[in-house]
Amino acid sequence: MPRPLGELEDAVMTRVWQWNRPVTVREVLEDLQQERSIAYTTVMTVMDNLHQKGWVRREVEGRAYRYTAVSTRAAYSAALMNEAWAQSDNPAAALVAFFGMMSPEQRESLNDAIRIVQRDNPLPAAPREGEGDEGAPRP
């Protein structure tokens, strides 16, 4: 399970995920500098840390590295939600509380996701009365 990204790590990964292509430290730096004052070495260190943590892979191109995301923002978000849910002593109550915090748009997205998962991974049909219980003790 990934630990949550720090603020600067998240800002860097947001760009890597949005651009969806190999990026250089310089490209990320120039984009970040539109929002804040930040040094090249700071961005380089953050991207190296992200590489060490397995968030990005890198390939040498000339004298620079090009970094590519290892997984998607959606996969990262899903892993965080799954970890939070798994830590609950009452998963059903945690889901009810979480759903209660959702906006109508988020609930619609949830309904869409459930329909997709059910379509792609249908649950096996429950056995009919008297089927599939050979050898099972009768009450």
Side-chain angles (χ1 to χ4, degrees):
M1 160 56 207
R3 71 169 180 71
L5 295 170
E7 180 186 343
L8 190 50
E9 290 174 328
D10 186 69
V12 169
M13 283 306 300
T14 294
R15 283 146 180 88
V16 174
W17 282 320
Q18 285 176 342
W19 296 340
N20 197 28
R21 61 174 173 77
V23 301
T24 64
V25 171
R26 175 79 47 204
E27 291 173 309
V28 174
L29 170 72
E30 289 173 358
D31 199 59
L32 284 170
Q33 285 178 330
Q34 295 176 28
E35 300 172 0
R36 64 177 92 186
S37 176
I38 190 166
Y40 180 91
T41 53
T42 302
V43 177
M44 183 177 65
T45 299
V46 169
M47 293 187 81
D48 184 60
N49 289 343
L50 289 167
H51 175 257
Q52 297 300 321
K53 293 176 181 181
W55 288 104
V56 294
R57 70 177 59 90
R58 66 184 180 195
E59 295 181 13
V60 176
E61 184 176 290
R63 293 178 36 195
Y65 285 116
R66 287 212 170 260
Y67 294 84
T68 308
V70 170
S71 66
T72 64
R73 166 73 96 181
Y76 166 70
S77 297
L80 289 177
M81 288 187 288
N82 188 55
E83 177 68 14
W85 186 46
Q87 291 180 7
S88 173
D89 60 349
N90 187 340
L95 284 175
V96 169
F98 180 62
F99 297 157
M101 293 181 220
M102 292 179 149
S103 69
E105 295 80 17
Q106 289 171 320
R107 284 194 199 117
E108 187 58 36
S109 294
L110 175 64
N111 287 331
D112 292 344
I114 290 170
R115 281 191 290 275
I116 290 167
V117 169
Q118 288 175 335
R119 180 194 69 213
D120 294 346
N121 302 301
L123 293 173
R128 292 186 211 160
E129 183 75 28
E131 286 184 4
D133 59 357
E134 293 82 21
R138 299 235 180 237

